[in-house]
Amino acid sequence: MAKTDAFDSDPTAIAKAKELKREMKKLLTNIEEEDGLSVQTIDQLQEALSAFKQATMRKMAKSSSLEMLETVSCPEEFRCPLSNELMRDPVVLASGQTYDKLFIQKWLSSGNRTCPKTQQVLPHTALTPNLLIRDMISKWCKTVGLETTTYQSSLVDEEKAVTRSDREIFNSLLCKLSSSNLQDQKSAAKELRRLTKKGTEFRALFGESSDNITRLVNPLLLHGSTLNQDEQLQEDVVTTLLNVSIHDDGNKKLVCENANVIPLLIDALRRGTVATRSNAAATVFTLSALDSNKALIGKSGILKPLIDLLEEGNPSAIKDAAAAIFTLCIAHENRSRAVKDGAVRVLGKKISEGLNVDELLAILAMLVTHWKAVEELGELGGVTWLLRITRESECKRNKENAIVILHTICFSDRTKWKEIKEEESSHGTITKLAREGTSRAQRKANGILDRLRKAMNLTHTA
């Protein structure tokens, strides 16, 4: 029997089909494990099969109508001048020209104030429904046997504005990426980078299937074992991944769960150009916005190359690396990984030198909850520069993060009390912060003062 591919092109239908298949598989597993088959299980299986059948029939009917649309010549006056597709919601612009509402709105929202067809400057941007053309299109659809709802839903996604032309360009570029010709791969990757930066349409197309992501990164997988991997190709593919990941949470999940992506990003962080490494770090930061991705990325070993990038200190990459590390370490399990991979030493060195203090101090304030981080800070002389930041910084957030770290050290390592007491005696730094800091800084400062008072009382009593 021929394969129908009933759900191949509709992402919503694909998701529904997968859900129904999982449900049926679960029910079949229950049937195998049950000694006696229950009536409830049979009913559930029948409902799932019925739903799957209806979805398949709807998709096949829609596919049939689409095939008919492709074979029928659409009258020119029914096509939108912007999309060159059959209009689904024709509206009249101030110039008197008719456009499909979605596409002319997109044109106007991009800042354009001229008519795309006549280049006439528009006195206003109000849109008037063209009821006459809409009625004519509806009648034409009935004449050729095309359901109105089919052409409306198939030609364009209302939110993403993906046209058939976009899809054709997208598929053509993915085919070029699969070519064995390096120049074809490079030109396709460069164009996909441009298109995914330009608008949402091509980002949305990547989000329809994990296979699209695999096809994007495939050239790097093919050349990954060679030392002379093309640097520009790597940069363009990684940057396209960044653009695709920015789109929405669905894309973030799809990209991160593709088995090829994280190893590719690790490789890019280790041996890419500065621009590639920076964009790889930015991609990790973007993907880590999802909690489920934080765990998946964190256990991959990616923190070490991010910390190495941070240590190198290239101005164009350090902020992206810091943002990625910070977001990953919001998940507690990743903090111990970062400490193990040497983050405290790198952060301490940079902060003590006054480099990127805002970003790095915030990371350190999270990591200090790990006992080994406190130990390392003591060895690095961290109390000295933390007290200096608390005393001299004009940034309230930096003062807060510094006192948070000092508070943890104070309660974990009594050998540091002497230095803290001397600072307080000489400058009143902790007392001042207890009065004027943020609410969190005040709590931590008061906690340290209370601890020091108790220590002094114990000394006098002894």
Side-chain angles (χ1 to χ4, degrees):
M1 183 180 291
K3 185 177 177 183
T4 61
D5 291 333
F7 299 98
D8 279 357
S9 60
D10 188 335
T12 305
I14 290 170
K16 183 64 177 175
K18 286 181 178 178
E19 182 184 341
L20 290 168
K21 286 177 181 177
R22 282 195 298 269
E23 185 179 346
M24 288 188 288
K25 186 176 180 180
K26 182 178 178 182
L27 290 168
L28 289 170
T29 302
N30 291 340
I31 290 171
E32 288 178 0
E33 294 175 352
E34 288 181 8
D35 293 331
L37 194 58
S38 68
V39 173
Q40 183 182 5
T41 301
I42 294 173
D43 288 343
Q44 289 175 338
L45 183 58
Q46 285 179 333
E47 288 177 7
L49 283 168
S50 177
F52 189 77
K53 179 182 177 181
Q54 290 175 12
T56 304
M57 290 176 68
R58 282 196 300 269
K59 182 63 181 177
M60 290 176 70
K62 181 177 177 180
S63 297
S64 176
S65 294
L66 284 176
E67 289 172 4
M68 180 181 295
L69 178 58
E70 289 173 356
T71 59
V72 175
S73 178
C74 171
E76 193 62 31
E77 62 269 25
F78 296 166
R79 294 180 184 274
C80 173
L82 286 171
S83 67
N84 199 34
E85 302 285 359
L86 184 63
M87 289 185 284
R88 59 191 296 278
D89 190 4
V91 292
V92 181
L93 198 58
S95 62
Q97 299 294 320
T98 297
Y99 297 90
D100 202 344
K101 183 177 180 180
L102 180 64
F103 292 94
I104 193 61
Q105 281 183 330
K106 187 179 174 186
W107 167 268
L108 296 172
S109 64
S110 297
N112 296 300
R113 288 298 177 267
T114 58
C115 173
K117 193 171 182 178
T118 66
Q119 297 303 307
Q120 174 186 338
V121 176
L122 301 172
H124 60 80
T125 58
L127 302 174
T128 306
N130 192 328
L131 301 178
L132 176 61
I133 290 293
R134 181 184 294 179
D135 186 53
M136 290 171 66
I137 290 174
S138 180
K139 289 178 179 177
W140 176 81
C141 287
K142 290 177 182 177
T143 301
V144 300
L146 179 67
E147 292 185 17
T148 307
T149 54
T150 299
Y151 90 79
Q152 286 181 340
S153 61
S154 64
L155 291 180
V156 64
D157 183 306
E158 185 169 357
E159 293 184 358
K160 298 170 185 172
V162 176
T163 67
R164 184 181 292 123
S165 175
D166 290 335
R167 195 175 295 279
E168 288 172 355
I169 292 170
F170 179 70
N171 289 330
S172 173
L173 290 170
L174 288 183
C175 286
K176 285 182 71 176
L177 273 177
S178 303
S179 165
S180 58
N181 184 291
L182 179 60
Q183 291 307 313
D184 282 348
Q185 292 175 348
K186 289 178 67 174
S187 64
K190 183 178 181 179
E191 182 64 5
L192 283 169
R193 174 180 179 173
R194 185 187 71 82
L195 291 170
T196 51
K197 178 184 178 181
K198 180 182 174 183
T200 62
E201 303 91 339
F202 287 84
R203 298 178 208 163
L205 284 167
F206 270 111
E208 290 184 357
S209 169
S210 181
D211 183 57
N212 292 338
I213 306 298
T214 300
R215 293 174 72 183
L216 169 65
V217 303
N218 193 54
L220 299 188
L221 302 178
L222 293 174
H223 301 296
S225 60
T226 64
L227 294 175
N228 60 339
Q229 184 181 82
D230 189 275
E231 291 181 345
Q232 190 59 54
L233 176 63
Q234 185 185 43
E235 181 182 328
D236 287 336
V237 169
V238 168
T239 308
T240 302
L241 276 176
L242 171 61
N243 295 340
V244 171
S245 301
I246 289 170
H247 186 63
D248 60 20
D249 286 353
N251 274 23
K252 289 178 177 62
K253 184 175 176 63
L254 192 75
V255 169
C256 192
E257 292 181 355
N258 186 295
N260 301 299
V261 169
I262 302 303
L264 182 148
L265 291 175
I266 291 174
D267 182 67
L269 285 166
R270 284 176 175 158
R271 58 195 188 101
T273 63
V274 172
T276 299
R277 298 174 79 193
S278 181
N279 286 342
T283 305
V284 175
F285 165 68
T286 302
L287 294 175
S288 300
L290 287 186
D291 288 341
S292 59
N293 286 354
K294 288 182 179 70
L296 188 63
I297 297 170
K299 65 184 181 183
S300 70
I302 207 167
L303 277 161
K304 184 63 171 70
L306 283 170
I307 293 166
D308 291 343
L309 183 59
L310 195 67
E311 184 172 23
E312 290 178 22
N314 189 291
S316 64
I318 194 168
K319 287 185 179 292
D320 288 317
I325 295 168
F326 179 86
T327 310
L328 283 171
C329 288
I330 291 172
H332 286 271
E333 63 267 31
N334 288 334
R335 297 178 189 181
S336 60
R337 293 179 178 126
V339 172
K340 182 181 177 182
D341 287 334
V344 176
R345 177 186 60 80
V346 174
L347 292 169
K349 187 173 185 298
K350 296 289 182 187
I351 294 169
S352 66
E353 295 171 354
L355 301 173
N356 299 93
V357 175
D358 297 8
E359 298 90 345
L360 305 189
L361 201 59
I363 299 172
L364 195 57
M366 286 199 293
L367 299 186
V368 80
T369 55
H370 193 279
W371 66 269
K372 187 170 175 56
V374 177
E375 187 178 278
E376 286 188 47
L377 276 173
E379 295 170 357
L380 292 166
V383 171
T384 301
W385 44 262
L386 285 166
L387 287 169
R388 186 176 69 248
I389 291 171
T390 306
R391 180 177 66 251
E392 298 177 358
S393 176
E394 296 181 359
C395 174
K396 285 194 172 184
R397 185 62 60 193
N398 286 350
K399 286 178 177 286
E400 177 186 310
N401 284 325
I403 202 69
V404 164
I405 299 168
L406 285 167
H407 181 273
T408 303
I409 293 173
C410 184
F411 278 75
S412 303
D413 185 357
R414 60 189 302 164
T415 66
K416 306 304 176 189
W417 290 357
K418 181 182 177 182
E419 187 175 356
I420 296 173
K421 281 191 287 184
E422 289 175 353
E423 172 73 23
E424 180 61 19
S425 298
S426 301
H427 303 285
T429 303
I430 313 298
T431 299
K432 185 176 181 181
L433 196 60
R435 290 196 310 264
E436 301 174 2
T438 64
S439 57
R440 187 184 183 205
Q442 288 178 15
R443 289 197 308 273
K444 298 299 181 180
N446 280 316
I448 292 173
L449 292 172
D450 186 52
R451 183 74 170 184
L452 295 178
R453 280 193 294 268
K454 287 179 180 178
M456 290 178 65
N457 290 337
L458 285 172
T459 302
H460 290 318
T461 302

